[in-house]
Each structure stands twice: as structure tokens, then as C-alpha cells.
Amino acid sequence: MTPPFRRHVLYLPGFDPIPPRRYRELYRREAADQARISGHRLRITKANAQGFAWAVHGRVEGRDTRTVIEVALWSDIVQASMRQGIIGTFGQLFRTAWTYIATGTLSRLMQLRRGPVIAALYPIAVLLAQLALALLAGALAGWAVAALGGGWLGLPVALAVIWGMLVLGRRLDGRLFAYYLMHDYAFTAQHRGAYPPALEARLTAFRARLQAILDDGPDEVLVVGHSSGAYLAVSFLADHMRAGGADPRLSLLTLGHVVPMASFLPDAGRLRDDLAFLGQADLFWLDVTAPGDACCFALCDPVAVSGAGGPDQRWPLVISAAYTQTLSPERQAALKNRWFRLHFQYLCAFDRPGDYDYFAITAGPQTLAQRFAGRKPSPGRITRPVGAR
């Protein structure tokens, strides 16, 4: 009897303060949907593994499989970076905007994809609109009080109204996401592209955990980085391979990357060096994006556009998730204008799946290299070097 194919997935989320159980429940729900569509048999249980993890017992493509999916946690660092009050967040706004504009990073980003640049400008526009409305409401309230004979009371009333309007805007952020996105971009820009010490320490911990996983002897160790987790995966994998060399069981999958938001910044030399190293390394690296995801740099080769490519570049293999083909018109209509949900679609079921199937990749009997052997890059791939090197 053929033994089950064993895989360990180390998943790096993007800038997300939410506890990791969200990812387990997302996987559980979407795996059931994809199994119904594609004929997989998948069962989710607890995993006997370090950290937050779950096990997937599968019968996929005619073979039994056993996968452990472990979340590489950095949500505590995200939470700490978001402990800014209203005034602190507006301070972040002006510092971050200045960093991206004064260094020329914003103008270079605009040469790639408009979607993620608009997404970056969105929190600035919303927060400035909230500030303008608050100032206008405060001025009107103060004027009204003074006109009614309140005299000097108009000033404290105006200040109270301004503050109240700003607090209201903060409370509405569960729908607007302006504060959340502002914290995200500010975190990336705070050291002009360099990693803060706390994050460097966490990358070192990820590297140690990766070695322990490899020592356990699975058939494949798949590192998955989503959104800003994509460039964190690049950096800690580059560190791992520089120290220990290549391992044929190891592969990298990056999803919905936003690499240029960091790699184009002037002090991101460490990240650009890591991109250049992995671009030539003996490691199968698949990068998946979709033009329908406005929050990512769709089909932009993260190595090449960052100016880290060259004649010896081999990776990544850049392909499109092709939402217009892999999602039915009904599902596309249901997801229309749900930008965050579309940014997470890579981790979800496709009702017209093509060769990209997250659940076959993570719970199927083939390595990433086997599954995409001979696959050509998507024809819309962008390789023009725009970022500074």
C-alpha cells in the first residue's frame, strides 16, 4: 500500500491583527466547498504540531495525503503597531505620505498597477475627508453658539464637535478600513523599507521553525506567503538557504503579493538582496496574483520589477489566478466591489477551477514543482525594472 503523501505548510499571513483561528475556519469552510466542486475528500482535525496548526486528511487525485498547516504568527507585532490613537494615526498619515512621495517611491509604484496605488491612497483620502468634515462641523457649531450669544463658549463647543466627529470616523472603521490600511502602510514605511527589530527577530524564529519542520521528514515543506506575508517569506527563506543550502522538499508559494510597496523604498536593500538571491536559487517558487485583485501588484514579477533580476534570474513562475475564468459569472457578481474578499480569494474555493487550486496544492499528492512542471508564465507578466536597486 502506498503511504500517504506528507506535507507541512508554513503559512505567513499579511498585515493582520486577527487571531489565526480565522485562517483555520476559512480553510475549513472553503475546503468543503472546493471538495464538493472538485471531488476531493478532505477532513480537518487538530494537529499535533507546535504553534497554531490544523491537520488535513485527504484523498485527492487518487492518493491519501496528510497535511499539517501551521500559521507563522506575527499578529502580535501587527497589534502593537496599531495602538495609535486618532492623533497618532494622523501623524502616521503625514509621515507615511511624505516617505512615499519624497523618496520617489509613489511615482515608481504608479508605473506598475493603478489598483494597489489607489488602495494606498484610499486611507489618506478618507482620513483627510474625515478631518475636513470634522473641522467644518466644528466651525459651524462654534459659529452657531457664538451667534446665539454664547461668546467664548463657541470655542470649546467647536473643539468638542471636531473631536466627536473624529471619534465617530474611528468607530466606523469596521466598514471603512481607513485606519487599518493606514497602519498597514505606515508599518511598511516606518523604517523606509528596512525591517524593524521585532520583525527581524520573528523572521529568525520562523527560520528556526522551518528547520525543525524539515527535520521531521515530510515529503514537502511548502511555505505560503499572502499579501505582505509574501515578502516576509522571501526574506526568511533567503536567510535559511544562505545558511543551509537547498532542499528539494522545500518550495515557495506567494499569493496576492504587495512586494513593491516595500522593495521600492530606499532602505529596503535587505529585501532587494533577498529577492535577487531567491530569484536565482534552487527553489521552486510560484507566484499567483490576479488582475481582479485590486489590492495586489497583479502579474508583476516581484524580483524583476524591484530591480533585483538579471540574466541569471529563474524565479518566480508568475501566473494568474484568472478570476474571470475560474469564477462563474454568478460568483463574480457576488464578489463585485468586495475588495478585501477578492484579495483573499487565493485561499478560497473556485467554482470553475483551473490549474490553480489552493486545496489541491496544499492537500494533494504532488509537490508544487511537480504540479506546475512545464507551466509557462502568464502572458501578461510584467518584468520591467522600476524599483531602485
Side-chain angles (χ1 to χ4, degrees), residues 160-243:
V161 170
I162 291 169
W163 186 249
M165 291 286 289
L166 293 175
V167 169
L168 176 62
R170 181 68 183 87
R171 290 180 177 175
L172 290 174
D173 206 58
R175 296 182 179 181
L176 299 175
F177 299 105
Y179 278 80
Y180 164 74
L181 288 170
M182 192 68 257
H183 294 314
D184 186 353
Y185 299 128
F187 183 82
T188 303
Q190 63 179 325
H191 294 289
R192 291 161 48 100
Y195 293 139
L199 193 53
E200 280 284 11
R202 193 60 51 90
L203 293 176
T204 300
F206 292 164
R207 176 180 152 196
R209 180 60 188 143
L210 176 63
Q211 186 58 58
I213 293 168
L214 286 164
D215 290 343
D216 190 48
D219 297 304
E220 181 183 34
V221 177
L222 174 61
V223 176
V224 179
H226 175 243
S227 194
S228 50
Y231 59 78
L232 300 184
V234 165
S235 285
F236 97 84
L237 267 176
D239 287 345
H240 170 82
M241 294 188 69
R242 287 188 187 105

Side-chain angles (χ1 to χ4, degrees), residues 241-320:
M241 294 188 69
R242 287 188 187 105
D247 190 312
R249 298 170 298 159
L250 186 59
S251 51
L252 172 62
L253 171 64
T254 49
L255 305 171
H257 81 79
V258 292
V259 169
M261 292 298 299
S263 66
F264 282 20
L265 287 164
D267 293 343
R270 189 260 216 255
L271 174 56
R272 291 191 291 270
D273 287 345
D274 296 339
L275 288 164
F277 177 84
L278 276 199
Q280 301 177 26
D282 188 11
L283 170 80
F284 191 91
W285 174 7
L286 177 70
D287 180 73
V288 184
T289 52
D293 172 15
C295 296
C296 79
F297 284 87
L299 296 180
C300 292
D301 180 319
V303 175
V305 301
S306 299
D312 297 326
Q313 181 186 340
R314 302 169 59 198
W315 308 109
L317 170 61
V318 176
I319 70 169
S320 175

